[in-house]
Amino acid sequence: MVKKSQEYIVKIDTLNHQAQGIARIDGFVVFVDNVLIDEVVKIKIEEVKKEYAKANLIEILEKSPYRKEPECPYYYLCGGCHLMHAKYQHQLKLKKLLVEDAFRRIGKLSPRINDVIGMENPFRYRNKTALPVGGDYKKPQIGFYRKMTHDIVDIDYCLIQHEFCDDVIKGMKDLIQKHKIEVYDEKKHKGVLRHIVVRNSFAFDEMMIILVCTKVPENLETIKKDILNNFSKIKSLYLNLNPKRTNVILGDEDILIWGSSTIKDRIGNLTFEISPKSFFQVNSMQTEVLYSQVVKYLRNIDAEIVFDVYSGIGTISMFIAPFCKKVYTIEIVEDAVEDAKKSSKNNGISNIEFICGRAEIEIPKLLENGIIPQAVILDPPRSGCEKELLESLIEHKIPNIIYVSCNPSTLARDSSILFSNGYEILEVQPVDMFPQTFHVECVVLMSRVDK
């Protein structure tokens, strides 16, 4: 029987979907962070559940040849990255294994899965970050949460964020102290400044800063002046009000307190308008690689009419528009739809119709009105597609589905539903949008097989 606080020597068999090592003690599963497959390690049991245990790594007795020293000094404290202890080419192999495991274990499927397309430089790629603020105005903390907690790891820089983010971290600590800004205490639900959200444009050297507060700070005007003086690349400064006791970062109300309502970024030859709540892929460089794969699949099936579901600010739609006759986008966030319309006009694209609404409601309407696409592109949130949407696509026998997913587990689940209802999985192409983490994006091409 595995006991808490007991030490064991184990061999790591494989990794789970969160890149935790899996070892077995007399058949009982134990999860261990920061290890690699085939390593022999000494561990100490931290927590014992009915079906598994969690353990802390004490010592590596037999090291993997793929292990390296993490470049980041905060790596073993911060919960933001999970694979920085592995050489990058090995990270890509591990991510392919994670995708294969999700399809096999959850979807009961074994489709063709290509090697993961990686980055030449797997650092400094993120264009957006949300920084929790803690401590107090005398000694503010800005950083990221320790893994599985809401304890803030105070940092000075982050190696996967744009360099502008480092300037904001350091500069805002000084401004909090100077202006005695009341820092939010999550446990007591008291205080003002909760998060600092930073959005950066790699193409245009523009930055948006969003101060997430429970209420309007009393000295907002002087804070604003200092922010503008400190950050030369800033183009947009917002105050977001979130007075609720919640883990959701952004509240409902956005107040533009200086500058433009949006910043611009580019994917390929296209320029996009991005507002505070707009969904835009966090890795601008790899997004072009990802969307080029979607275009490749569309050209192979010669699709004229395409539905782009969960379309966000229309990035995929505008990227594929030159290769289609007509694109219909469906997105529930009104601000994102308005941003998409602006970007479409700015890019001179006229063959897209933008629809604001719930996908599971709007798609059946289009189909019932006789608008039948040759392909539907699905790019849902991590929770995957609504059951009603999948049922509608199956019922109307949509010939081709291209599924873009950042969550292999829900991708495998939804693929299994489609497979069981007459769809063949032709190809799975993983793309590394999130180096140093366990996250991986996939593009899947599925075609209906008439029996």
Side-chain angles (χ1 to χ4, degrees):
M1 178 68 181
V2 174
K3 295 182 180 180
K4 185 177 179 180
S5 300
Q6 187 72 35
E7 293 184 2
Y8 298 89
I9 293 175
V10 296
K11 184 175 182 178
I12 304 302
D13 297 327
T14 187
L15 302 185
N16 68 7
H17 67 286
Q18 293 185 330
Q20 293 174 305
I22 298 177
R24 287 175 172 82
I25 301 172
D26 295 330
F28 192 73
V29 171
V30 180
F31 297 123
V32 189
D33 288 327
N34 304 317
V35 293
L36 296 174
I37 296 170
D38 290 335
E39 287 189 326
V40 177
V41 297
K42 181 186 285 189
I43 60 172
K44 184 175 182 179
I45 302 299
E46 176 189 13
E47 184 180 6
V48 179
K49 299 285 189 180
K50 184 177 180 181
E51 296 180 349
Y52 65 90
K54 294 181 180 179
N56 291 324
L57 175 65
I58 296 176
E59 184 181 357
I60 302 170
L61 302 176
E62 293 183 22
K63 186 184 296 186
S64 167
Y66 305 111
R67 176 175 285 276
K68 68 174 179 64
E69 190 65 27
E71 290 83 350
C72 177
Y74 310 108
Y75 175 65
Y76 290 115
L77 298 173
C78 172
C81 294
H82 322 96
L83 285 172
M84 202 179 283
H85 60 284
K87 295 176 182 177
Y88 184 58
Q89 290 304 312
H90 190 60
Q91 290 184 32
L92 300 181
K93 292 180 180 179
L94 292 174
K95 292 188 181 192
K96 182 177 179 180
L97 288 176
L98 298 182
V99 175
E100 289 173 341
D101 176 69
F103 272 97
R104 181 176 59 252
R105 181 172 46 84
I106 299 171
K108 312 301 179 188
L109 301 169
S110 299
R112 171 187 165 190
I113 299 175
N114 297 334
D115 290 341
V116 182
I117 301 174
M119 296 187 72
E120 184 176 344
N121 177 18
F123 293 97
R124 295 294 188 184
Y125 61 85
R126 284 188 65 95
N127 58 38
K128 178 187 176 183
T129 187
L131 299 158
V133 184
D136 54 39
Y137 74 82
K138 295 178 182 177
K139 194 175 181 181
Q141 298 174 335
I142 298 177
F144 298 105
Y145 292 127
R146 197 180 304 272
K147 189 172 183 179
M148 303 302 290
T149 75
H150 270 212
D151 299 331
I152 296 173
V153 177
D154 189 38
I155 65 174
D156 290 324
Y157 61 91
C158 175
L159 292 177
I160 65 171
Q161 305 291 342
H162 193 293
E163 286 87 346
F164 291 170
C165 184
D166 298 347
D167 297 334
V168 173
I169 292 171
K170 295 171 186 174
M172 284 304 301
K173 286 180 183 178
D174 292 338
L175 294 185
I176 290 169
Q177 291 176 321
K178 177 180 177 180
H179 297 287
K180 298 182 179 180
I181 301 172
E182 191 180 357
V183 174
Y184 180 69
D185 186 319
E186 185 179 56
K187 294 178 180 177
K188 297 179 180 178
H189 189 49
K190 291 182 178 180
V192 178
L193 182 61
R194 304 173 66 132
H195 278 80
I196 301 165
V197 178
V198 186
R199 304 194 76 151
N200 297 293
S201 168
F202 280 76
F204 295 97
D205 275 355
E206 297 177 355
M207 178 169 62
M208 175 186 290
I209 296 178
I210 306 163
L211 304 177
V212 184
C213 299
T214 55
K215 61 182 180 180
V216 178
E218 294 179 2
N219 49 349
L220 181 60
E221 279 301 310
T222 53
I223 295 170
K224 179 182 77 174
K225 289 177 182 177
D226 268 3
I227 287 176
L228 299 181
N229 289 332
N230 273 268
F231 309 120
S232 61
K233 301 294 185 181
I234 189 168
K235 186 184 177 184
S236 179
L237 179 60
Y238 274 91
L239 176 68
N240 174 272
L241 295 181
N242 185 359
K244 298 178 182 177
R245 192 164 203 156
T246 175
N247 289 333
V248 177
I249 294 172
L250 293 176
D252 296 330
E253 187 177 0
D254 292 312
I255 303 170
L256 179 66
I257 55 179
W258 181 86
S260 171
S261 61
T262 61
I263 60 172
K264 301 189 298 295
D265 209 344
R266 183 181 290 142
I267 300 173
N269 295 321
L270 300 172
T271 301
F272 296 93
E273 300 275 347
I274 304 167
S275 58
K277 292 191 178 77
S278 294
F279 172 78
F280 191 74
Q281 292 281 1
V282 299
N283 188 333
S284 305
M285 294 167 281
Q286 282 291 86
T287 299
E288 185 172 358
V289 175
L290 183 74
Y291 292 174
S292 294
Q293 191 67 33
V294 175
V295 169
K296 174 187 171 183
Y297 289 159
L298 281 177
R299 299 189 80 173
N300 286 345
I301 60 182
D302 195 25
E304 289 192 351
I305 298 176
V306 177
F307 291 175
D308 178 13
V309 187
Y310 309 101
S311 58
I313 61 171
T315 49
I316 292 180
S317 298
M318 282 174 254
F319 206 84
I320 67 171
F323 309 98
C324 308
K325 184 177 180 181
K326 182 80 172 182
V327 182
Y328 295 85
T329 75
I330 297 93
E331 168 59 45
I332 194 171
V333 179
E334 189 174 344
D335 287 349
V337 175
E338 292 306 310
D339 287 344
K341 289 178 180 178
K342 291 177 190 175
S343 297
S344 178
K345 184 178 179 180
N346 293 341
N347 286 297
I349 299 172
S350 58
N351 61 333
I352 302 177
E353 182 172 325
F354 299 96
I355 300 169
C356 186
R358 297 183 66 86
E360 61 272 22
I361 295 174
E362 299 300 331
I363 290 288
K365 286 182 185 177
L366 289 169
L367 297 173
E368 288 165 8
N369 288 331
I371 303 172
I372 309 298
Q374 285 75 50
V376 170
I377 298 170
L378 304 173
D379 188 8
R382 288 188 61 78
S383 56
C385 292
E386 297 290 340
K387 183 181 177 183
E388 296 84 353
L389 172 60
L390 295 177
E391 289 173 347
S392 182
L393 299 179
I394 293 165
E395 179 186 350
H396 289 85
K397 299 183 178 181
I398 301 302
N400 300 286
I401 295 172
I402 299 172
Y403 198 135
V404 181
S405 171
C406 62
N407 186 345
S409 297
T410 53
L411 170 63
R413 179 201 68 197
D414 293 348
S415 296
S416 181
I417 293 171
L418 292 165
F419 179 82
S420 300
N421 287 276
Y423 285 86
E424 178 185 8
I425 302 174
L426 301 180
E427 187 174 309
V428 180
Q429 179 59 67
V431 178
D432 191 18
M433 301 287 288
F434 319 98
Q436 318 306 332
T437 79
F438 61 71
H439 300 292
V440 58
E441 196 99 5
C442 292
V443 188
V444 181
L445 175 61
M446 291 177 255
S447 291
R448 184 166 183 83
V449 181
D450 291 321
K451 297 180 181 179

